Amino acid sequence: MKMIELVAPCHFGMEAVLKREILDLGYEISQVEDGRVTFLGDLEAVAYANVFLRTTERILIKVGKIHAETFDELFEGTKALPWEDYIPEDGKFWVAKANSIKSKLFSPSDIQSIMKKAMVERLKTVYHRERFEETGAEYPIRVSILKDEVLIGLDTSGVSLHKRGYRQMTAPAPITETLASALILFTPWKKDRILVDPFCGSGTFPIEAAMLAANMAPGMKRHFLAEKWENLIPIRHFEDAREEAADLVDLSVETDIQGYDIDGEIIKAARANARMAGVEQLIHFQQRPVSELSHPKKYGFVITNPPYGERLEEKKNLPALYKEMGDAFRRLDSWSEYVITAYEDAEKYIGRKADKNRKIYNGMMKTYFYQFLGPRPPKRKQEENS
């Protein structure tokens, strides 16, 4: 089967996690850059990557990479690409998104319209027609320009992959499912270890951890844009991927995953989301403030996204809240704690300097992933649990 290059975008700082996921699926990495991993696969890989990858936002088929410092170069470079290999005569095609960093071409709307014109010119000569009705399946193009290098990809996913389909209700400032998964995979947590999120909100961290524990593929219950591309990808590839994903699920796994929140209504929403995801029996949700965070067992993990005062009136409550968090961490002295927050004074009020700290962009917001590392459990204990 013909090999193609596929591009998987991710949150800045999470490339290594996504690379490991792609390798585990059995595909070869061709390039790792800031915010994306490119890999080699066949058309079947489009289906498997969409269904199985937890930490990417979408899967793009790489149509080409061109150098463009002027709109003329952008037009000619785009026109030279083999669009007819991807877009049928009745296909609906447009540049859905263009972003530009450190490049001479920087107006997204101009980039979009010029590239669309170039694609039309190319397809006119191939299909021998003056205009296109565009009544068929959708073929959105996404463009990323960095230092005048233009990466052009065809979006196979459609709705972003962070939308797993289980999150009907959300708390304010929710963390995306893809980022939650990436952060869990970034830690040494395994399904036989305790995990507690004391600010669980709509339940994203506990649900993603439970899906990991049960070996549940994130995309097995949803559909993707490329399923409608009869000219390109046989529908059976998607059916096969979902069937294989269903066979791998193990809901009999023993877990100790807990989600707490001070807001009882939010806890109800988290339970409903876990039910929708099919993992409610693997998670214990409870209305409880962070000041009551405790656990009788040792060597657990806290992975959490606490409030960071998006609204001014909340800002004044943060020192006391983070101090409560620090007090709770000291009680759990053999545990490891991982905290993602945009609050710059987090370490000061937690009362401890993080062992490691990683900067992560959550959308346009700069956040910090503070890692407070606890001792490793004794070997014998690990073997008993494995």
Side-chain angles (χ1 to χ4, degrees):
M1 212 179 214
K2 185 185 162 200
M3 297 300 272
I4 51 176
E5 273 196 294
L6 299 169
V7 182
C10 64
H11 283 87
F12 282 89
M14 292 289 108
E15 299 84 3
V17 174
L18 175 55
K19 177 185 170 184
R20 193 168 73 228
E21 269 205 288
I22 293 166
L23 290 171
D24 286 348
L25 262 188
Y27 300 115
E28 185 188 330
I29 306 289
S30 55
Q31 194 173 18
V32 179
E33 301 163 276
D34 283 350
R36 67 176 175 238
V37 179
T38 304
F39 63 103
L40 299 171
D42 51 21
L43 288 172
E44 186 183 68
V46 171
Y48 276 76
N50 272 298
V51 170
F52 283 93
L53 292 179
R54 296 174 193 279
T55 64
T56 183
E57 299 304 304
R58 58 189 66 250
I59 299 296
L60 309 173
I61 294 174
K62 183 174 165 183
V63 178
K65 197 169 194 179
I66 60 176
H67 182 86
E69 298 179 31
T70 66
F71 284 121
D72 275 349
E73 286 177 344
L74 182 66
F75 182 91
E76 293 303 331
T78 304
K79 189 180 163 190
L81 295 170
W83 292 105
E84 64 279 5
D85 289 356
Y86 306 98
I87 299 167
E89 207 168 332
D90 68 344
K92 182 181 180 188
F93 58 98
W94 74 103
V95 179
K97 181 143 194 223
N99 63 47
S100 175
I101 301 169
K102 298 178 183 165
S103 300
K104 294 185 179 65
L105 303 176
F106 55 82
S107 159
S109 57
D110 288 339
I111 292 162
Q112 286 166 296
S113 67
I114 279 161
M115 291 183 74
K116 166 79 181 199
K117 280 180 192 147
M119 292 161 70
V120 169
E121 285 307 308
R122 169 79 184 204
L123 293 175
K124 269 185 184 177
T125 57
V126 175
Y127 292 128
H128 308 294
R129 53 188 303 169
E130 276 307 301
R131 54 190 305 272
F132 295 93
E133 300 297 330
E134 300 196 37
T135 54
E138 297 182 344
Y139 296 80
I141 312 300
R142 295 178 83 91
V143 178
S144 173
I145 309 179
L146 176 62
K147 296 179 183 167
D148 306 317
E149 294 298 319
V150 187
L151 179 70
I152 303 164
L154 182 59
D155 179 12
T156 72
S157 305
V159 175
S160 172
L161 295 181
H162 79 264
K163 297 206 167 162
R164 318 282 207 220
Y166 66 73
R167 200 158 75 178
Q168 305 303 303
M169 325 230 348
T170 61
I175 192 162
T176 66
E177 294 86 331
T178 41
L179 181 54
S181 230
L183 294 174
I184 294 166
L185 288 167
F186 189 78
T187 77
W189 179 79
K190 294 283 180 284
K191 62 189 174 188
D192 59 351
R193 305 279 294 275
I194 306 154
L195 188 151
V196 177
D197 179 357
F199 299 97
C200 74
S202 51
T204 311
F205 272 128
I207 291 168
E208 290 294 320
M211 288 172 72
L212 265 165
N215 207 12
M216 186 182 281
M220 64 183 271
K221 293 180 181 175
R222 55 160 287 178
H223 287 276
F224 312 97
L225 196 58
E227 289 180 66
K228 297 191 173 83
W229 297 352
E230 293 169 9
N231 64 312
L232 210 54
I233 303 174
I235 190 72
R236 67 182 160 76
H237 289 333
F238 289 94
E239 289 163 355
D240 289 349
R242 273 193 284 264
E243 204 174 299
E244 192 171 316
D247 288 345
L248 290 169
V249 176
D250 175 15
L251 289 170
S252 68
V253 64
E254 294 278 321
T255 58
D256 188 347
I257 299 170
Q258 303 183 29
Y260 306 144
D261 202 282
I262 197 166
D263 184 332
E265 288 306 305
I266 287 287
I267 285 293
K268 277 186 202 159
R271 279 200 192 104
N273 290 341
R275 195 158 43 245
M276 196 81 179
V279 292
E280 64 175 322
Q281 71 270 44
L282 301 180
I283 308 168
H284 173 68
F285 286 110
Q286 194 181 350
Q287 183 180 357
R288 184 194 278 203
V290 70
S291 57
E292 291 175 22
L293 173 60
S294 63
H295 199 289
K297 290 187 180 164
K298 293 181 142 197
Y299 309 113
F301 286 76
V302 170
I303 305 179
T304 194
N305 175 37
Y308 32 81
E310 301 91 284
R311 294 195 291 276
L312 271 177
E313 65 270 23
E314 294 168 351
K315 270 253 191 293
K316 63 179 189 301
N317 302 326
L318 292 182
L321 185 71
Y322 279 72
K323 187 177 176 308
E324 283 181 350
M325 210 179 350
D327 292 344
F329 290 174
R330 277 185 287 283
R331 289 195 297 274
L332 298 167
D333 60 354
S334 67
W335 284 44
S336 296
E337 290 93 14
Y338 295 82
V339 178
I340 182 166
T341 179
Y343 184 43
E344 307 251 345
D345 287 333
E347 289 172 303
K348 176 181 169 185
Y349 290 108
I350 286 171
R352 177 180 162 192
K353 188 152 176 52
D355 298 292
K356 291 182 182 174
N357 175 13
R358 177 169 282 245
K359 206 183 293 177
I360 292 165
Y361 282 87
N362 185 7
M364 296 310 291
M365 185 185 285
K366 182 168 70 172
T367 61
Y368 301 90
F369 191 41
Y370 295 109
Q371 300 156 60
F372 303 94
L373 308 178
R376 290 180 175 211
K379 267 280 185 276
R380 191 174 55 80
K381 182 118 180 182
Q382 275 183 323
E383 277 154 22
E384 281 172 13
N385 285 343
S386 60

